[in-house]
Structure formats: structure tokens, C-alpha cells
């Protein structure tokens, strides 16, 4: 029996460190790795389910070819021969841009960059720009503070006021609840602002449930109250903040009674929260990612961040803007969000003209050349991208599709050839995190199951099939052996004497670039060198107000479109999935409910709907038939269906969302999504 230190590579805040026990080629146990101060108590349920996931009977272990409506096993030679022939044909007949290379965030790691190397060698491809997850908030933070970083997670216990604004860490970042609860034992107040009553809000001293998409005006009203009561940090503002006077003047037309009607929060609760903020000795504001997935998402985040800025809660223990920490990402140049953006001038290799947010629509409309083939890895766009019915249509219009995948997802079902993907235990890689500042080695602990090949090997072999020279292959790909992979990884960290694979095998290591209390040196890498409430970049690059301002969502309850579809559809993450991963595992299915739509019992009563009734949720983009669960925890006028369900389960909320970008950052405005619903009964 062997014990290895490793870390979870999923798109999740925690990026947990843990120990994995291997016996006779199988994972048998997963234990905490307390050396990671952010995740000392070990993995969540999803992490524990890796024992099943690694050895699942449903895992794809061999290359598969579609024959009719089914798939049959084929050899690697046949798979690679077919793919290489298609690549050569499309390049000659239509050009490299007729091939779409789509890679998402299903598994993180430095070795993922090898895919880009392959497509450069091929001569280029069409790729996407933007991101599904968080770029509007990243860009809002970058414009204001100059960098995306926050205090180390364990500093949170020093806060006297903690505001979870649209975040539910008790389900989506469970390790964060450790310092929150420590802070509460020391007397800290916890405020939760969320249209849903969540597991996190059960611990709160105050819960506010605003109308979705109106968080910006709520923040600005609180700021106006604080300015009027002079409960702001004038010394900090005068020394470190650009544009405060203009910002304060811009609030003159904000009226608290009108704000109350706009966001649905009673005046006395707005005043109470303002009072708590004004009195707070230290404050950490933790926004979630849901708010910035509205069409006004970037400006909303700028409004919230302004609340932190004008009170001087930056650069101090217990006081920070806790959105994203990229201090552990010592490898990317440029860093997120700028690496999501299309180049100002085409590089002549990749055609980045398709927005991730509008994948289906723009795949269908792309010309000169049209798309003929797609390669998908580390992603499931047919369930996870908005307007997924149109995404399916676009994929079915292609002539040839390759999907590299572990399980038979919605996207894999559309493939002509499926190549079996490695799992996290079958190849070593280096990973960082966007919540804590550790660099970690995800160690290889198992030989690949069946005929699985790591993606690096797939690309290596495909490059051989396409006839690239030995020098080209050697320069762009590590070799096939574990030793060659380790040598490649060692080279990536060779500039950091604190790091080595041998050291990382012993456990996680803090980033050499770490500033434990973010901005404690009061260095803000903005054009002015100050915190920029007034941002000329925001106006020039994105065409928005240079000051933080509230703009109504394009499709929201406060607009005209609500007359036809009056309910706001929310698609939050759930504790038992990471987007569309893990939900297919037996251990997860055994403890979770079947898909359901959560609705307010008052709304339900008006429509004659009871819990466990089947309802039809619909708008002009699609419909879902799903069971209802009614309670009083969700704000009236909202309906919630968890993100991550597959179309195979009949419950993907992206059947109803529109492909729309956020106001900045090329993000995805999933949550501008109005629907209606009704009781549904099958025709007899």
C-alpha cells in the first residue's frame, strides 16, 4: 500500500489538498492533508467520490466510433488514422480555420497547454474567446485595484464583519466555512445577501434577499448613506483613491425609498446593513460569481467593490475584497481575465472570433471558412454553454466531431469519435488555485485504465501521424514516459528556487509571489497607481460608465421583458456537482434528489402547484419538464434549477438561457434569463 500527496484539479474554489491511498492499483482511501492551511479538514463529498470515479464501470476506456445511433470500440490506430485523415482533408479543402478547437476547465494543469502547441503546429484553428465563469468580476476588480488577489483564506477569522454577497460557501466552498465560524466565535457578524435562503444563510445574523440583478443599486444606496453619515475613511480615500469626488456626486439622484422598491429590500434593512458596515472595525466582503453573470455584471461588481474601498477595508488583516486570488498562478502570461480576450490584431494562427457566451449562434454563422470539424476536450458545451439547443444544432451541422472524455456526457453523445481521457490520478501535473495561494503537484498514482492515453500522448501520436518532424515534436511536446513528463514540469518551475517536484511531492507550497495581506503595501498596478473608482479604461475598453453605476439587466424583472415571462430563473451551483461533473456517479446519486425546480410556495399556490408536481418551465428559447419543490426559502418571483444537470436527465437550465455577453470581460450572462412555468400533465 502506498500513500501519495495530491490535489483536486477541478474548477472549484477549494482545490483541496489530500492524501490518497493506493493498494494493488486501486484508490482505496482519501484523507486530509493538513499542510494546506486553507483545506486542512480534507476533501468534500465530491472529492471522496474520486474512489468511485477512478474505477467507475461507466468510464470510457477505449476509443469509440459512432455507428448509427450507437458507438463501437475501435483501435487507437483506427481512431488516429481517421482523425489525421480528416484534419489533412479539411486543412487542404477549406483551411485550418474550418476546425474548431474547444477546450474548457474540466481539469486544470500546466500540461493542458500542450493542446495549443499541437494546433499551432497544425497551422492554426478557430478557437473561442471569453469565459463561462467569472471574467466580468475579474475585469471589474482589475480595473479598480489593478490586480486580482485577496488575503489568505485563514485571515478571514480576523474579520469583525463578513458579508457573503451572492455566495454560498457552505455548499460551493465548504473550506471557507472554517474561518467564518472561527470569526463568529470571536464575535464577528455574518451577513448573507442572496435571493435564496441557503445553508450559509442559516449561520447568518442578517439575510437580505434582493431581486436578482439589482445588487448594484443596493450597494450604491448603502454607500450614499455611509457618505452622508461620514462613516467613510477619508484619509484612505485622499491618499489612495482616484475619482471619489466624482463618484460621490454621481450618487445624488439615488433615493433609498426608490432603491427599496427597485431591489425589494425594506428601507430599515438597508439602513441596518449600512449601520453595521459603518461601525465595522474590520470587514471582508465576499462576492459570489452569480451576480456578475448578468448583463450588468461588471458594473455590479464595481459597485460592491466601491463599498469596500470607501470604508478603507483594503490592505489590512481581516479586511479585504475576497473575489479571486491569482497569486498562485505564477505560470500564465497574461493572467486571467486578459488571457480570455481576443488579440487586438490577429496572430495569424488562431481565429478567435467566436464568443464562448454565443457559441451555438456564432458556430452556425461563421463563414470564410465555415466550420466543418470540432475537437472538444475538458468540456461539456452541449449542457454547460448558454442556449444549449442552439449549441446542439451547431454541433450537428458539423461534418466531424472528436470529443476527449471520461464519461458519456451530452457532448460525447454527439461525437463521431470519442477518445478516452485520463483521470486525475493517471498523469502528474502542476496546478494552482483561485482561492488560496498554494502551488501543488497532482501526482500520478495509477497507470491509465484500459487503453486510456493522457492528452499529451494523444497529441504526440497525432503529430506523428500528420508527419511533423522529430524536431517539431520534441520542441512542442514532452515525451511519453513519466520521467519525460516530470522533466517537462520541472522545467516550468526552474525559475523558482523554492519549488521543485521533490518538495511538492511532500505537500503544497505557498506561492513565491505571496502577499498574505493583499495590497498591504498599498501598491495598486492601475494606470494611476491608485485605486480607480474613476476608470478611463472601463469607458474606453468596454463602453461603460467610467464610474461604478447601476444599469438594469437587459432581461430582468425590472424591465419590460418580464411582462411575458415574469419569473427570474437562477441556476446556482450545487454541493454535489462541479458544473456537469460528478452527478453521474452512484455515490452522488444515492444521496441526492432527482432534478427539481425550487419555487416559492406563494407563487406555486397561485398556479395550483404543489411539491412533487411536474411543471413545464419555458420561454421562447426552450422548455424543461421537471418536478417542483415548493418552500418559503426562495424569493417570490424566482425559480431555481441547479446548474450542471445534463440534457439526458431532462433538466439542463441552459435550454432556457440566451447566448449573451456581460458588460465587460467577455463573460457569459446566464442569469439574464426570464421564464414562466405551469403545471404539466401528460396527455392521456
Amino acid at each position: 500500500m502506498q500513500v501519495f500527496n495530491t490535489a483536486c484539479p477541478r474548477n472549484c474554489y477549494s482545490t483541496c489538498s489530500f492524501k490518497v491511498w493506493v493498494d494493488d492499483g486501486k484508490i482505496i482511501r482519501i484523507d486530509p492533508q493538513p499542510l494546506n492551511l486553507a483545506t486542512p479538514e480534507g476533501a468534500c463529498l465530491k472529492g471522496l467520490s474520486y474512489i468511485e470515479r477512478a474505477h467507475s464501470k461507466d468510464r470510457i476506456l477505449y476509443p469509440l466510433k459512432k455507428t448509427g445511433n450507437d458507438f463501437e470500440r475501435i483501435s487507437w490506430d483506427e481512431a488516429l488514422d481517421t482523425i489525421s485523415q480528416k484534419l489533412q482533408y479539411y486543412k487542404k479543402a477549406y483551411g485550418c480555420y474550418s476546425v474548431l478547437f474547444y477546450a474548457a476547465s474540466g481539469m486544470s494543469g500546466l500540461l493542458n497547454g500542450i493542446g495549443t502547441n499541437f494546433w499551432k503546429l497544425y497551422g492554426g484553428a478557430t478557437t473561442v474567446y471569453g469565459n463561462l465563469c467569472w471574467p466580468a468580476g475579474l475585469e471589474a476588480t482589475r480595473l479598480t485595484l489593478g490586480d486580482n488577489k485577496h488575503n489568505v483564506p485563514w485571515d478571514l477569522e480576523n474579520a469583525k464583519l463578513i458579508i457573503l454577497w451572492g455566495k454560498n460557501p457552505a455548499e460551493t466552498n465548504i473550506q471557507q466555512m472554517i474561518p467564518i465560524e472561527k470569526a463568529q466565535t470571536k464575535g464577528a457578524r455574518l451577513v448573507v445577501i442572496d435571493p435564496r435562503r441557503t445553508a450559509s444563510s442559516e449561520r447568518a445574523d442578517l439575510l437580505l434577499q434582493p431581486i436578482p440583478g439589482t445588487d448594484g443599486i443596493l450597494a450604491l444606496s448603502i454607500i450614499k448613506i455611509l457618505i452622508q453619515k461620514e462613516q467613510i475613511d477619508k484619509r484612505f480615500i485622499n491618499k489612495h483613491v482616484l475619482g471619489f469626488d466624482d463618484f460621490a456626486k454621481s450618487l445624488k439622484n439615488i433615493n433609498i425609498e426608490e432603491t427599496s422598491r427597485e431591489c425589494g429590500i425594506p428601507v430599515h434593512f438597508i439602513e441596518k446593513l449600512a449601520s453595521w458596515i459603518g461601525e465595522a472595525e474590520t470587514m471582508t466582503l465576499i462576492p459570489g460569481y452569480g451576480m456578475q453573470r448578468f448583463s450588468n455584471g461588471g458594473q455590479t461588481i464595481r459597485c460592491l467593490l466601491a463599498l469596500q474601498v470607501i470604508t478603507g477595508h483594503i490592505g489590512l488583516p481581516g479586511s479585504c475584497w475576497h473575489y479571486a486570488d491569482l497569486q498562485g498562478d505564477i505560470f500564465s502570461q497574461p493572467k486571467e481575465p486578459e488571457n480570455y480576450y481576443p488579440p487586438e490584431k490577429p496572430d495569424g494562427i488562431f481565429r478567435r472570433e467566436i464568443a464562448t457566451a454565443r457559441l451555438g449562434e456564432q458556430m452556425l454563422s461563421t463563414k470564410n471558412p465555415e466550420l466543418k470539424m470540432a475537437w472538444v476536450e475538458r468540456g461539456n458545451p452541449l449542457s454547460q454553454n448558454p442556449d444549449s439547443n442552439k449549441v446542439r444544432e451547431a454541433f450537428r451541422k458539423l461534418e466531424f466531431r472528436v470529443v476527449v472524455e471520461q464519461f458519456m456526457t451530452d457532448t460525447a453523445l454527439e461525437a463521431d469519435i470519442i477518445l478516452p481521457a485520463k483521470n486525475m490520478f493517471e498523469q502528474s501535473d502542476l496546478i494552482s488555485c483561485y482561492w488560496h495561494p498554494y502551488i501543488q503537484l497532482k501526482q500520478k498514482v495509477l497507470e491509465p485504465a484500459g487503453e486510456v492515453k493522457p492528452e499529451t500522448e494523444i497529441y504526440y501520436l497525432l503529430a506523428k501521424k500528420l508527419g511533423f518532424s522529430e524536431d517539431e515534436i520534441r520542441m512542442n511536446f514532452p515525451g511519453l514516459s513519466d520521467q519525460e513528463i516530470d522533466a517537462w514540469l520541472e522545467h516550468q518551475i526552474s525559475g523558482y528556487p523554492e519549488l521543485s517536484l521533490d518538495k511538492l511531492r511532500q505537500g503544497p507550497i505557498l506561492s513565491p509571489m505571496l502577499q498574505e495581506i493583499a495590497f498591504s503595501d498599498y501598491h495598486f498596478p492601475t494606470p494611476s497607481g491608485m485605486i480607480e473608482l474613476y476608470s478611463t479604461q472601463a469607458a474606453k475598453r468596454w463602453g461603460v460608465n467610467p464610474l461604478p453605476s447601476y444599469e438594469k439587466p437587459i432581461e430582468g424583472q425590472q424591465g419590460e421583458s418580464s411582462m411575458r415571462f415574469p419569473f427570474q430563473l437562477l441556476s446556482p451551483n450545487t454541493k454535489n456537482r462541479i458544473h456537469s461533473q460528478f452527478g453521474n456517479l452512484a455515490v452522488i446519486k444515492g444521496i441526492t434528489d432527482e432534478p427539481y425546480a425550487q419555487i416559492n410556495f406563494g407563487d406555486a399556490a397561485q398556479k395550483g402547484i404543489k411539491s412533487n408536481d411536474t411543471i413545464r418551465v419555458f420561454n421562447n428559447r426552450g422548455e424543461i419538464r421537471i418536478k417542483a419543490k415548493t418552500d418559503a426559502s426562495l424569493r417570490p418571483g424566482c425559480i431555481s434549477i441547479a446548474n450542471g444537470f445534463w440534457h439526458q436527465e431532462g433538466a439542463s437550465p441552459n435550454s432556457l438561457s440566451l447566448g449573451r455577453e456581460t458588460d465587460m470581460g467577455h463573460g457569459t450572462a446566464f442569469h439574464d434569463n426570464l421564464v414562466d412555468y405551469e403545471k404539466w400533465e401528460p396527455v392521456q
Side-chain angles (χ1 to χ4, degrees):
M1 189 180 297
Q2 294 176 286
V3 184
F4 298 86
N5 291 308
T6 190
C8 179
R10 303 299 155 200
N11 185 357
C12 168
Y13 286 103
S14 297
T15 313
C16 295
S17 305
F18 56 86
K19 298 177 182 179
V20 58
W21 296 65
V22 180
D23 187 23
D24 193 25
K26 288 195 173 184
I27 308 293
I28 62 167
R29 181 172 156 187
I30 290 173
D31 283 340
Q33 169 48 281
L35 291 176
N36 186 330
L37 299 181
T39 66
E41 295 187 7
C44 67
L45 175 64
K46 299 180 291 291
L48 296 176
S49 76
Y50 276 126
I51 295 174
E52 177 190 347
R53 179 168 175 155
H55 309 294
S56 171
K57 63 179 176 59
D58 296 324
R59 190 175 167 198
I60 299 169
L61 299 179
Y62 308 96
L64 301 173
K65 178 176 69 174
K66 180 169 282 183
T67 55
N69 294 322
D70 208 348
F71 290 90
E72 67 176 26
R73 177 177 169 179
I74 59 174
S75 69
W76 272 103
D77 278 342
E78 181 180 349
L80 294 175
D81 283 342
T82 302
I83 295 168
S84 62
Q85 290 165 12
K86 292 288 187 181
L87 286 171
Q88 289 169 327
Y89 167 70
Y90 290 124
K91 182 176 182 178
K92 183 178 180 180
Y94 304 102
C96 300
Y97 293 160
S98 65
V99 180
L100 173 69
F101 169 51
Y102 186 92
S105 58
M107 184 186 296
S108 61
L110 283 190
L111 284 168
N112 291 336
I114 297 304
T116 301
N117 291 359
F118 173 83
W119 294 104
K120 285 181 180 178
L121 270 185
Y122 176 65
T126 294
T127 62
V128 299
Y129 66 86
N131 185 267
L132 295 177
C133 188
W134 62 336
L138 287 177
E139 178 67 353
T141 302
R142 188 190 71 83
L143 291 170
T144 307
L145 300 177
D147 199 0
N148 278 278
K149 59 183 178 180
H150 58 62
N151 296 4
V152 291
W154 47 94
D155 171 69
L156 188 54
E157 65 182 87
N158 296 316
K160 298 301 182 186
L161 176 62
I162 299 168
I163 302 177
L164 298 175
W165 202 316
K167 187 173 179 182
N168 179 23
E171 294 194 40
T172 62
N173 188 187
I174 62 172
Q175 308 285 354
Q176 191 169 55
M177 296 307 297
I178 299 170
I180 287 177
E181 290 176 353
K182 286 182 178 179
Q184 287 184 294
T185 62
K186 297 177 182 179
R189 286 170 165 163
L190 176 64
V191 175
V192 174
I193 303 174
D194 198 314
R196 301 184 305 138
R197 180 171 174 172
T198 65
S200 300
S201 67
E202 295 305 297
R203 297 163 168 81
D205 299 285
L206 179 64
L207 169 64
L208 303 183
Q209 294 183 280
I211 295 171
T214 65
D215 304 87
I217 190 66
L218 177 58
L220 294 178
S221 293
I222 293 169
I223 290 169
K224 183 169 185 178
I225 292 170
L226 293 171
I227 292 173
Q228 289 174 336
K229 293 187 174 182
E230 298 189 343
Q231 291 181 307
I232 58 176
D233 191 331
K234 293 181 180 178
R235 180 178 173 277
F236 179 85
I237 291 169
N238 291 336
K239 191 171 183 180
H240 299 295
V241 179
L242 175 71
F244 173 76
D245 289 340
D246 287 336
F247 177 55
K249 290 176 184 176
S250 74
L251 305 179
K252 65 179 185 300
N253 292 326
I254 288 181
N255 176 282
I256 191 168
E257 286 79 15
E258 292 177 359
T259 294
S260 176
R261 290 190 292 272
E262 180 79 7
C263 66
I265 301 295
V267 168
H268 68 276
F269 281 118
I270 299 174
E271 292 175 335
K272 183 174 186 177
L273 179 54
S275 174
W276 284 12
I277 292 172
E279 297 166 0
E281 179 184 341
T282 56
M283 179 179 81
T284 294
L285 200 162
I286 309 173
Y289 297 158
M291 291 171 296
Q292 53 91 59
R293 292 175 184 153
F294 281 86
S295 56
N296 63 359
Q299 283 294 77
T300 293
I301 294 299
R302 290 183 74 204
C303 292
L304 270 62
L305 178 47
L307 183 55
Q308 195 79 18
V309 168
I310 61 117
T311 52
H313 290 300
I314 300 284
L316 300 169
S319 290
C320 82
W321 169 253
H322 205 105
Y323 181 77
D325 188 7
L326 300 183
Q327 295 185 83
D329 182 10
I330 60 174
F331 308 107
S332 299
Q333 287 298 328
K335 283 189 178 184
E336 298 172 273
E338 291 178 289
N339 62 357
Y340 298 141
Y341 304 160
E344 293 184 6
K345 295 182 180 179
D347 62 10
I349 301 172
F350 291 110
R351 177 173 69 171
R352 300 187 72 182
E353 295 180 358
I354 295 178
T356 301
R358 301 197 299 273
L359 179 65
E361 166 200 339
Q362 294 192 335
M363 282 179 66
L364 289 167
S365 63
T366 295
K367 307 293 183 186
N368 300 319
E370 293 182 358
L371 295 176
K372 300 295 182 178
M373 173 182 168
W375 177 291
V376 178
E377 62 181 66
R378 306 190 312 277
N380 185 15
L382 268 83
S383 68
Q384 290 307 108
N385 286 62
D387 207 351
S388 56
N389 291 326
K390 192 162 286 185
V391 175
R392 182 191 289 110
E393 178 187 350
F395 269 78
R396 289 181 176 175
K397 184 184 176 186
L398 299 170
E399 293 179 0
F400 189 66
R401 297 146 289 256
V402 178
V403 176
V404 187
E405 185 51 87
Q406 293 182 47
F407 296 98
M408 198 60 73
T409 64
D410 290 334
T411 305
L413 285 174
E414 299 297 324
D416 295 285
I417 288 183
I418 303 174
L419 301 179
K422 70 178 183 293
N423 69 26
M424 67 162 285
F425 302 111
E426 293 169 345
Q427 187 180 48
S428 294
D429 209 344
L430 290 168
I431 60 175
S432 60
C433 178
Y434 51 81
W435 174 64
H436 63 65
Y438 285 100
I439 313 295
Q440 303 195 73
L441 176 65
K442 177 185 70 62
Q443 289 198 69
K444 178 179 178 178
V445 302
L446 297 175
E447 290 302 317
E451 293 183 4
V452 170
K453 295 182 185 298
E455 287 83 338
T456 52
E457 184 173 347
I458 295 173
Y459 282 122
Y460 182 98
L461 296 174
L462 199 52
K464 290 263 190 183
K465 291 280 188 183
L466 289 170
F468 297 127
S469 71
E470 290 298 323
D471 284 345
E472 288 174 317
I473 291 173
R474 186 171 58 253
M475 290 179 63
N476 285 280
F477 309 103
L480 304 185
S481 70
D482 293 343
Q483 293 75 19
E484 288 168 306
I485 294 293
D486 284 354
W488 188 90
L489 294 173
E490 196 77 70
H491 178 71
Q492 307 308 307
I493 53 176
S494 58
Y496 300 96
E498 306 93 333
L499 302 175
S500 71
L501 293 193
D502 283 341
K503 292 177 182 177
L504 288 163
R505 287 187 183 99
Q506 306 309 309
I509 297 177
L510 288 168
S511 169
M513 314 302 291
L514 176 61
Q515 188 179 48
E516 289 204 22
I517 305 301
F519 303 107
S520 55
D521 58 357
Y522 298 105
H523 171 69
F524 302 99
T526 60
S528 66
M530 304 175 75
I531 297 174
E532 295 195 354
L533 289 181
Y534 188 98
S535 171
T536 55
Q537 287 187 86
K540 182 178 180 180
R541 188 168 199 170
W542 305 109
V544 300
N545 191 328
L547 295 166
S549 63
Y550 170 62
E551 313 296 336
K552 293 179 186 291
I554 293 173
E555 184 176 335
Q557 289 179 320
Q558 305 300 70
E560 294 180 3
S561 55
S562 65
M563 295 177 65
R564 183 176 178 192
F565 300 110
F567 294 94
Q568 187 85 49
L569 175 60
L570 306 177
S571 51
N573 290 341
T574 174
K575 64 182 178 181
N576 295 321
R577 296 174 183 243
I578 297 178
H579 302 299
S580 66
Q581 299 193 71
F582 294 95
N584 61 308
L585 301 178
V587 67
I588 301 295
K589 289 181 176 179
I591 59 169
T592 57
D593 296 328
E594 62 182 311
Y596 66 87
Q598 182 186 14
I599 54 181
N600 178 274
F601 76 90
D603 292 339
Q606 292 183 26
K607 289 176 171 282
I609 294 169
K610 299 178 182 177
S611 280
N612 295 318
D613 284 347
T614 299
I615 61 173
R616 184 175 79 98
V617 186
F618 61 95
N619 58 21
N620 55 4
R621 296 181 283 268
E623 67 174 53
I624 294 174
R625 294 170 187 173
I626 189 171
K627 282 193 174 180
K629 183 176 286 188
T630 68
D631 59 38
S633 67
L634 184 67
R635 181 184 175 87
C638 297
I639 177 171
S640 177
I641 301 174
N643 153 49
F645 287 114
W646 298 357
H647 289 287
Q648 298 168 54
E649 301 171 273
S652 174
N654 286 316
S655 301
L656 303 161
S657 60
L658 178 68
R660 178 188 284 127
E661 287 193 43
T662 52
D663 53 353
M664 61 181 67
H666 300 301
T668 307
F670 291 102
H671 293 169
D672 271 48
N673 193 3
L674 292 178
V675 300
D676 202 352
Y677 58 88
E678 63 189 9
K679 188 173 180 178
W680 180 81
E681 294 179 358
V683 177
Q684 298 297 324

